Amino acid sequence: MIRPATPADSAASIPLLFLAMQEIALKLTGHNDPLLSMPIFEALFRQPGNQYSYENTLLYEDAQGIGGLIIAYDGAKLDALRKPVLDHIERSLGHRFQPEDETGPGEYYLDSIAVSPASQGKGIGRQLILAAVEKGKREGLDFAGLLVSTANPDAQRLYERLGFGIVKTVDFAGGYYYHLQKVL
């Protein structure tokens, strides 16, 4: 079942989020140890009005528990959603990292997608992506978009099978990514 997340889902969701974006999370927090960064993201997940909030998260849950997540939002809101993240990290850790903009107006941005290792190979990632795309359609956006590492051809193939196509290559947070989009 795919459902919206609640603040109470933070403990189960943050390890999944780190599967998707650990390298970026560590850059944002300035730590090399995920165990030091995870509490920051748990706090952000429980709060409304930010990029990594439960408000922007859909979860896949079955009898075994939460097996996957997708965080997605209107790209026009990136600055407003990112500012509380950067401010919270700076207040908590005294560190400020300013990543490049990875999305913009008109795009429903699929920020982070992860499936637990125990749940992989069951089509859960596909279901989460399709659910997020439908949500973007309901919100009236023109495109769904995402970044995928140029070093991750398996994920790129999944997105292309779902109708996404490469629109450009970008440098983001020190890595190279394909920006893919799908018309909604």
Side-chain angles (χ1 to χ4, degrees):
M1 168 180 87
I2 295 177
R3 66 170 177 84
T6 69
D9 294 315
S10 65
S13 298
I14 297 311
L16 288 171
L17 179 62
F18 269 65
L19 285 175
M21 62 164 286
Q22 177 171 304
E23 184 178 331
I24 304 278
L26 296 178
K27 286 181 181 182
L28 283 168
T29 61
H31 284 302
N32 291 325
D33 184 351
L35 295 177
L36 297 174
S37 297
M38 285 181 164
I40 296 293
F41 284 87
E42 281 190 51
L44 289 164
F45 185 90
R46 288 189 301 268
Q47 297 171 15
N50 75 77
Q51 199 171 357
Y52 303 110
S53 172
Y54 68 92
E55 294 173 314
N56 301 318
T57 306
L58 296 175
L59 300 174
Y60 175 89
E61 185 174 29
D62 60 18
Q64 284 71 48
I66 295 173
L69 69 66
I70 189 164
I71 294 178
Y73 46 82
D74 181 345
K77 298 177 182 175
L78 176 63
D79 288 340
L81 293 171
R82 181 182 279 165
K83 184 177 181 341
V85 171
L86 299 178
D87 290 349
H88 180 82
I89 291 169
E90 187 170 24
R91 275 192 316 275
S92 301
L93 303 172
H95 179 75
R96 185 126 185 144
F97 175 78
Q98 183 67 50
E100 302 83 357
D101 289 350
E102 65 260 43
T103 185
E107 182 174 82
Y108 193 67
Y109 185 62
L110 311 184
D111 185 296
S112 300
I113 305 159
V115 176
S116 72
S119 298
Q120 290 177 3
K122 300 177 184 176
I124 293 168
R126 180 182 184 281
Q127 290 177 53
L128 286 163
I129 292 165
L130 293 174
V133 165
E134 283 303 311
K135 189 174 178 196
K137 278 186 197 176
R138 287 192 306 272
E139 291 188 17
L141 292 153
D142 299 326
F143 300 95
L146 55 87
L147 296 184
V148 63
S149 171
T150 57
N152 192 347
D154 292 337
Q156 179 188 339
R157 280 191 292 277
L158 168 65
Y159 304 137
E160 288 174 337
R161 283 193 305 270
L162 294 173
F164 288 83
I166 297 172
V167 293
K168 62 184 171 181
T169 304
V170 297
D171 181 6
F172 177 71
Y176 292 102
Y177 295 83
Y178 294 122
H179 188 144
L180 288 83
Q181 285 186 331
K182 173 185 174 107
V183 175
L184 298 180

